[in-house]
Amino acid sequence: MLKKNLLSIAVVTAAMSLAACNDKEAVTEPVEPAATTDVAVEPETTTDMPAEAVAESNDAMAVDAAATQSIGEMAAGNENLTILTEALQAADLDDMMMAEGQYTVFAPTDDAFAALLTKLNVTKEQLLGDKEMLTSVLTYHVVPMVVKAADIPYGTAIDTANGQTISISDANVITDASGNTANIVGTDMMATNGVVHVIDTVLLPK
């Protein structure tokens, strides 16, 4: 009788344990794995250009961005180049200095022209009235190509639009065909049609 009771208790206990396990499985929900996000990493952009070439390219873009006026427009807007502007107009060269092209202009200041008037013992009106002489003198200040300060061929004869030559020392001193000298006092004023270097003396051809 005791054996039978023990067997009955064992059966009931096993049944209860099995029921408990079933209940636990019923209420336990599966856990979904955490979502992952793939981050795309773009490769770094590299350039095969040497550092010097990149710098030159940047300089060229800077110059292009800065050059918004022609040589004629720059001269007309500069308070120190008013007589040069009047002279270009009197010699009918102002259109050339505003047109497309590649020019280097050595631009005398108003003080340089004032010194020339004293040297020649003439008035500004007399100077501007001599178109032939003005044309000869003004074209002597023009080189028909772009020559930046860093590219000036020192000690070499440089052809001008006048047909005669000038020479420039490494001290940035110009010697003209008449033996006079002029100092370059401002460089690399970039224009859409070339470059302007400012000088303190009017150059004179022979």
Side-chain angles (χ1 to χ4, degrees):
M1 184 68 177
L2 179 59
K3 255 188 194 181
K4 195 184 254 193
N5 288 339
L6 289 175
L7 182 58
S8 297
I9 291 171
V11 170
V12 170
T13 302
M16 290 175 64
S17 298
L18 182 60
C21 288
N22 288 340
D23 289 342
K24 186 176 181 181
E25 289 177 2
V27 298
T28 303
E29 295 181 358
V31 178
E32 294 184 3
T36 59
T37 303
D38 293 332
V39 178
V41 179
E42 295 183 2
E44 294 183 3
T45 302
T46 59
T47 176
D48 295 331
M49 292 177 65
E52 294 82 358
V54 173
E56 289 178 3
S57 176
N58 290 340
D59 289 344
M61 287 188 292
V63 166
D64 290 341
T68 59
Q69 294 181 308
S70 66
I71 292 172
E73 290 170 331
M74 286 176 59
N78 191 313
E79 62 182 8
N80 295 315
L81 302 176
T82 62
I83 299 178
L84 173 62
T85 300
E86 292 181 67
L88 288 171
Q89 293 169 347
D92 292 330
L93 295 174
D94 52 327
D95 286 343
M96 182 181 80
M97 290 293 96
M98 291 187 181
E100 292 184 5
Q102 295 288 300
Y103 304 108
T104 297
V105 173
F106 294 96
T109 62
D110 288 348
D111 288 342
F113 273 104
L116 177 66
L117 295 177
T118 300
K119 180 177 182 177
L120 298 179
N121 193 27
V122 297
T123 65
K124 185 175 75 171
E125 288 70 28
Q126 288 174 318
L127 177 68
L128 298 180
D130 191 340
K131 184 175 180 179
E132 183 178 352
M133 188 266 287
L134 264 185
T135 301
S136 177
V137 170
L138 292 175
T139 54
Y140 191 49
H141 292 73
V142 179
V143 175
M145 61 183 293
V146 174
V147 183
K148 295 182 182 179
D151 302 323
I152 292 175
Y154 296 125
T156 302
I158 301 172
D159 293 324
T160 69
N162 167 283
Q164 299 184 46
T165 64
I166 58 174
S167 65
I168 306 176
S169 73
D170 56 6
N172 282 333
V173 176
I174 303 174
T175 301
D176 64 23
S178 297
N180 302 309
T181 60
N183 297 300
I184 301 177
V185 296
T187 62
D188 292 347
M189 295 169 60
M190 300 307 301
T192 55
N193 56 348
V195 61
V196 175
H197 305 305
V198 179
I199 58 177
D200 65 357
T201 305
V202 177
L203 305 174
L204 295 174
K206 286 183 180 178

